[in-house]
Amino acid sequence: MASAPNLQFKFVNYTGLEEGPSVIIMGATHGNETCGTEAIRRIMAELDSGERKIAAGSVTFVPVVNPLAYFKNERNGDRNLNRNLFPKVDPQDFEDRIANWLCPLLAQHDVLLDLHSFNAAHGEPFVMVGPVNNEGPLEPFKHAEQERALARRLGVRRFVTGWMAAYGGGVQRRSRGNAAELETVLRYGVGTTEYMRTTGGYALTLECGQHVDPKAPQVAYDAIVNTLAFLKLIEAPEPEPVPFEEMEALHMVAVYDKLDAGDSFSRTWASFDPVAEGEQIGTRADGTPVLAEFSGRILFPDAKAGANSEWYYLTRANPEFGRG
């Protein structure tokens, strides 16, 4: 870290003359995911030149959330910022220091758009969306209608829900029954959007494409413009929602663990590859085949996962998304 020059945190705010929501838009939460950074700098240049203006409400841009990871051009500085994102009384690493700056900033806003990219060699953009309205202990929420309406106007057609429930199910399965330990590990699943929801706001993570896909910055830029237009921060036509018949909505149902370092996939899987019920996904170290429990799509397969950690998720269609 000592070799990284001038590490500091930066945000830029534009506030209109009229009342409106407070929006925060972020890039490079992971340092090698720079499409959001490019798009944010592009829209800021338009605002600075007068080509666009914020007419109502306010927008805060954070072009580079994790400057250490960005400097290294790697996913993380010291660790994954998008896990265990809470203020820390005694920060232990660089990401803890980011959290102590970022979490109060998030809490000052109503809406978060966090712009990411993914490592898979192929795949289309998708958006991670929060839970339905609920008062449960895992992820209570009351803005599902607004969050999903915004998600359908970002310019992508694929939507994924169920992160915390699927992640929490895996944690509970691995837990030894210690309630304090369970709560600690569940907190590890909290990233930028989950933290934003704990503050009373709503939030979306947009995966704009593969890391080096030249189209990804345009996906991010279009999503920013659509967000500002839909929330009426800029004077522009309201973007139309993606039609229901063009949407692919998926719900994360379950996470499957790698139990032994010798567990292996049957082939190279990529997120959103279809799987059929009974299809072989991998093989345990003792030779037992790992079969799909139901038909759906695989998500976040991690061939390099360690023993007793997340290996892959399975999703199934969520036809009710956006209709309730």
Side-chain angles (χ1 to χ4, degrees), residues 23 25 31 66 68 74 87 93 99 111 150 173 175 183 217 239 261 289 319 321:
V23 180
I25 300 177
N66 192 329
L68 175 58
E74 296 177 0
D93 51 42
V111 185
L150 176 59
R173 186 176 62 251
S175 171
E183 180 179 356
F321 181 89

Side-chain angles (χ1 to χ4, degrees), residues 14-287:
Y14 299 82
T15 300
L17 298 180
E18 303 299 326
E19 294 294 319
S22 178
V23 180
I24 182 167
I25 300 177
M26 310 194 313
T29 294
H30 295 131
N32 60 341
E33 301 178 15
T34 59
C35 57
T37 303
E38 292 182 45
I40 287 170
R41 288 173 175 164
R42 177 179 169 188
I43 199 82
M44 285 173 55
E46 294 175 355
L47 290 165
D48 290 340
S49 71
E51 182 179 347
R52 294 185 187 272
K53 74 168 185 176
I54 300 301
S58 76
V59 59
T60 298
F61 292 109
V62 187
V64 177
V65 173
N66 192 329
L68 175 58
Y70 184 79
F71 171 78
K72 294 165 61 179
N73 192 30
E74 296 177 0
R75 178 177 176 83
N76 307 325
D78 294 328
R79 65 170 178 86
N80 186 355
L81 177 63
N82 226 14
R83 298 288 187 273
N84 192 23
L85 183 68
F86 292 95
K88 306 296 191 336
V89 174
D90 182 21
Q92 298 296 307
D93 51 42
F94 189 76
E95 277 72 10
D96 283 353
R97 297 183 185 279
I98 298 174
N100 284 351
W101 164 75
L102 182 63
C103 290
L105 182 64
L106 290 172
Q108 297 170 25
H109 294 81
D110 304 312
V111 185
L112 163 66
L113 176 63
D114 195 7
L115 300 164
H116 287 248
S117 57
F118 50 77
N119 188 48
H122 60 86
E124 64 179 89
F126 65 97
V127 58
M128 299 286 291
V129 186
V132 297
N133 290 337
N134 73 96
E135 297 180 356
L138 182 64
E139 194 178 18
F141 192 48
K142 60 181 180 180
H143 298 299
E145 182 178 351
Q146 299 97 312
E147 187 176 276
R148 294 179 181 211
L150 176 59
R152 291 183 59 212
R153 288 164 173 85
L154 294 184
V156 302
R157 70 171 195 95
R158 181 173 274 167
F159 309 85
V160 179
T161 56
W163 157 251
M164 278 296 283
Y167 176 83
V171 169
Q172 288 176 317
R173 186 176 62 251
R174 289 187 293 268
S175 171
R176 294 190 295 268
N178 183 308
E181 178 191 15
L182 178 61
E183 180 179 356
T184 298
V185 181
L186 278 174
R187 284 168 62 94
Y188 185 74
V190 173
T192 58
T193 51
E194 291 78 24
Y195 184 83
M196 184 68 181
R197 294 184 193 110
T198 72
T199 72
Y202 62 94
L204 296 167
T205 294
L206 179 63
E207 298 281 354
C208 301
Q210 204 276 336
H211 293 329
V212 296
D213 186 342
K215 297 188 292 292
Q218 184 66 46
V219 172
Y221 174 84
D222 291 343
I224 294 172
V225 173
N226 287 355
T227 295
L228 298 179
F230 180 61
L231 298 177
K232 303 189 186 308
L233 273 69
I234 60 175
E235 295 174 349
E238 181 174 311
E240 292 293 326
V242 59
F244 286 119
E245 59 272 17
E246 296 179 14
M247 292 170 49
E248 182 180 23
L250 300 168
H251 188 73
M252 299 174 71
V253 176
V255 58
Y256 298 85
D257 293 344
K258 179 180 275 192
L259 303 179
D260 185 282
D263 295 350
S264 61
F265 284 129
S266 58
R267 67 177 181 85
T268 300
W269 292 99
S271 283
F272 302 106
D273 281 347
V275 296
E277 182 177 350
E279 182 175 356
Q280 185 165 351
I281 293 176
T283 305
R284 296 295 183 190
D286 64 3

